[in-house]
Amino acid sequence: MRFVPARATRTVRARLLDPAILVCVAALTWVPPIPDGPAGEGPWAGVAGMLAVGAVIVAGRRAGAEAPAAAAAAAGVTVWALSTSGRFASAGEPTNLLMSLAPAFLTYAGHLYGRDRRRAWTMVVLLGLAAVHPWETSQKVAADGLLYVCAPMLFGFYREARQMLVRTLTDRARDAERERDLCAEQARVRERTRMAVELHDVVTHRVSLMVLHAGALRMTAADRAVRETAEKLRATGCEALVELRELIGVLRGSQASAPERSIPLPRPRWPPEPFLRRRRRGSTGRTGGSRPPRAPGRC
């Protein structure tokens, strides 16, 4: 189980982190605890340090710990620069050190921009003032501060804003696709509802009338062959009605997961018995003959 600190604790840590970074950058650029004079290593050492810090940050990003990796890499490069006693970077030429810390500034700016943009722009201005030294006339110091502190932070803002835009567009595309699928499902449900209503209102009614007339014909016909044919026709119609009811039930059952309310489909009624009794009595009274055999059970 992953431990998530409280919101107040995270806020206090974030508020303490910015002044700590500002103090460290000011200390490294104003009064660095390293000897003065030219650095022993050339600019290729700074390039190697920048590549090493960038590789550590990329590895941390793939592992899900980009911020701790950036902090550890920046701390390691700073300690190594201070331990070399002016060989990697000196008080007069902190270019290699600032160049090595550029990927860490980029990562820090991205995380800061994603949380609080106003604080991010404030830190860019303050770190730029601390690294550029506008009160001095050294163009090299100003160029180093702008190139290795301000520019990485601005690029970090751009990268974070681009990632936020990509995430927003991805979420919108996913929502649009989900809405399209929902509209298609609703259209299918409406079509099934229309088919079920038509089956119930038209087909079932017509088949019921056919069965009704076949039953009446079986009761009133004098010829036995006609009665048998009418009975077969009535039985076939009853089977058709059962199958239609099952089909309507399937169509109604497919609407259970639909977001909209389905149209209730009443079960078709089949009350031919009173009509058949009346026809049977009338035919018996008119002909005076024997009553035809009793019909089988209802369908």
Side-chain angles (χ1 to χ4, degrees), residues 164-176:
M164 292 170 62
L165 178 61
V166 169
R167 287 194 296 267
T168 302
L169 294 178
T170 303
D171 294 340
R172 288 182 180 178
R174 189 180 298 111
D175 294 340

Side-chain angles (χ1 to χ4, degrees), residues 2-36:
R2 188 170 137 186
F3 173 74
V4 179
R7 182 176 181 180
T9 306
R10 294 197 301 267
T11 304
V12 171
R13 290 179 181 178
R15 291 180 179 178
L16 293 178
L17 179 63
D18 297 339
I21 292 177
L22 182 60
V23 169
C24 293
V25 172
L28 291 175
T29 56
W30 291 357
V31 283
I34 49 180
D36 197 358

Side-chain angles (χ1 to χ4, degrees), residues 69-82:
V77 170
T78 304
V79 171
W80 182 55
L82 296 178

Side-chain angles (χ1 to χ4, degrees), residues 46-273:
V47 173
M50 181 176 64
L51 294 177
V53 173
V56 173
I57 292 175
V58 170
R61 183 186 307 168
R62 292 181 177 178
E66 183 179 6
V77 170
T78 304
V79 171
W80 182 55
L82 296 178
S83 63
T84 55
S85 300
R87 184 177 178 183
F88 182 71
S90 62
E93 294 183 359
T95 305
N96 291 339
L97 180 58
L98 294 178
M99 190 186 303
S100 301
L101 295 177
F105 286 124
L106 187 149
T107 304
Y108 167 70
H111 284 274
L112 190 60
Y113 186 83
R115 288 171 173 80
D116 191 349
R117 299 182 182 181
R118 182 178 300 178
R119 193 177 64 178
W121 285 106
T122 303
M123 287 300 299
V124 167
V125 174
L126 294 178
L127 290 175
L129 292 176
V132 172
H133 298 179
W135 55 87
E136 295 183 0
T137 58
S138 176
Q139 297 182 357
K140 188 175 186 311
V141 174
D144 291 342
L146 291 174
L147 187 59
Y148 302 122
V149 178
C150 295
M153 293 194 70
L154 294 177
F155 184 75
F157 290 173
Y158 164 75
R159 189 187 67 170
E160 184 64 24
R162 183 177 178 274
Q163 291 179 356
M164 292 170 62
L165 178 61
V166 169
R167 287 194 296 267
T168 302
L169 294 178
T170 303
D171 294 340
R172 288 182 180 178
R174 189 180 298 111
D175 294 340
E177 185 177 359
R178 189 180 301 113
E179 183 178 0
R180 183 191 63 187
D181 295 340
L182 181 61
C183 291
E185 181 63 26
Q186 290 177 353
R188 286 194 293 268
V189 169
R190 287 193 294 267
E191 184 65 20
R192 293 192 186 105
T193 303
R194 185 186 63 82
M195 292 173 59
V197 170
E198 289 184 357
L199 284 174
H200 173 264
D201 294 343
V202 179
V203 180
T204 306
H205 178 65
R206 298 294 182 183
V207 175
S208 300
L209 289 178
M210 181 186 70
V211 173
L212 182 64
H213 289 297
L217 179 63
R218 183 181 60 85
M219 292 295 182
T220 58
D223 191 0
R224 182 176 180 181
V226 174
R227 290 199 302 268
E228 291 178 354
T229 304
E231 173 61 22
K232 292 180 180 179
L233 181 61
R234 190 189 67 85
T236 304
C238 290
E239 293 178 359
L241 282 175
V242 173
E243 293 178 357
L244 282 174
R245 289 168 186 168
E246 293 178 354
L247 179 59
I248 293 176
V250 170
L251 291 176
R252 294 179 61 186
S254 63
Q255 304 168 15
S257 60
E260 59 183 14
R261 186 176 179 181
S262 59
I263 301 177
L265 300 175
R267 186 175 180 180
R269 301 177 62 182
W270 170 242
E273 291 297 331

